[in-house]
Amino acid sequence: MKTMKQKSKRVLVLSAGDCTGINFCKSLRLSKGDYHLIGTDTNRYRLKMCVADERFLLPEDVRGTEYWEKLCSIVSFTEPDLIYAADTNDELALLSQRRSCFSEKVFLPSAEAIAIYEDKWETHNFLKGVGIEVPETKLLKNEADVIDIVNRLGVVWFRATHGSGGRASLPTNDPALASRWIDRFSGW
């Protein structure tokens, strides 16, 4: 008796050409599952590094209507079983906010939970609020805050509240350098 081969699970991976997307795709490839990977990226150079079976370039402006229309078109054309946002970024936030457009194809925590963990300051406050010990953290509003925290703690890690991969991170005990760094990333 012959058995029918099951159809591959189709997974659309947003940010498939950055490190998190590549690693996610490679992990699926190493699993025992049968996956057909559909990769998207907003950067044409990263898209070339994508290890998916199909690749689609999305517009760079994730917040623009052209991006959303193109993503919906790709979903309609490729019919994925799951849409996965590989990186913590604007694509994840957009997918979370508009998840109802794709019904069961999006498996994510609540939009409220994503809003908390996408913001390092909100994550700190949430964890502290539920009794989890967290390092001393201060939301800096001006140069006086920088001077105060460096004087109290010495070497301090200055981080952007959003983003991943160490973007806009700087360890220093020099308040002037830290202030210039914050200015550079429009962090006030």
Side-chain angles (χ1 to χ4, degrees), residues 83-101:
I83 303 169
Y84 178 77
D87 201 359
T88 59
N89 58 22
D90 288 339
E91 286 180 301
L92 172 64
L94 180 68
L95 189 58
S96 173
Q97 293 161 2
R98 297 184 179 181
R99 68 179 76 209
S100 63
C101 297

Side-chain angles (χ1 to χ4, degrees), residues 3-186:
T3 58
M4 291 187 65
K5 185 178 178 194
Q6 283 190 327
K7 179 182 135 186
S8 298
K9 295 289 183 194
R10 298 175 64 77
V11 181
L12 190 150
V13 182
L14 303 178
S15 299
D18 78 356
C19 294
T20 53
I22 292 168
N23 287 336
F24 178 76
C25 291
K26 285 182 175 181
S27 295
L28 289 180
R29 293 270 190 246
L30 291 172
S31 77
K32 293 181 181 178
D34 182 15
Y35 296 101
H36 180 85
L37 303 177
I38 306 153
T40 70
D41 210 300
T42 59
N43 180 297
R44 66 181 181 185
Y45 301 109
R46 284 196 320 238
L47 188 60
K48 290 184 184 300
M49 296 185 291
C50 167
V51 295
D53 301 300
E54 297 179 70
R55 298 176 188 168
F56 297 90
L57 183 64
L58 288 166
E60 285 186 23
D61 183 8
V62 174
R63 295 185 180 125
T65 57
E66 186 181 347
Y67 174 93
W68 183 249
E69 290 169 0
K70 178 77 174 187
L71 178 59
C72 289
S73 172
I74 292 168
V75 169
S76 177
F77 177 72
T78 61
E79 299 180 336
D81 298 302
L82 174 69
I83 303 169
Y84 178 77
D87 201 359
T88 59
N89 58 22
D90 288 339
E91 286 180 301
L92 172 64
L94 180 68
L95 189 58
S96 173
Q97 293 161 2
R98 297 184 179 181
R99 68 179 76 209
S100 63
C101 297
F102 300 124
S103 63
E104 73 284 343
K105 295 179 186 207
V106 179
F107 183 67
L108 291 171
S110 69
E112 295 78 20
I114 290 173
I116 291 170
Y117 77 65
E118 278 292 293
D119 183 312
K120 292 175 187 71
W121 178 245
E122 291 299 324
T123 299
H124 169 270
N125 291 337
F126 176 81
L127 295 174
K128 188 174 181 179
V130 296
I132 296 174
E133 189 175 331
V134 293
E136 184 173 346
T137 303
K138 182 172 183 151
L139 185 62
L140 304 173
K141 297 182 179 153
N142 54 48
E143 201 163 347
D145 287 344
V146 173
I147 293 167
D148 173 62
I149 198 131
V150 167
N151 286 341
R152 285 190 301 108
L153 301 177
V155 176
V156 176
W157 268 97
F158 293 88
R159 310 255 343 250
T161 56
H162 290 82
S164 61
R167 185 190 71 79
S169 297
L170 174 74
T172 186
N173 62 353
D174 181 344
L177 175 61
S179 293
R180 288 192 307 275
W181 189 256
I182 294 167
D183 282 340
R184 163 70 177 82
F185 290 98
S186 304

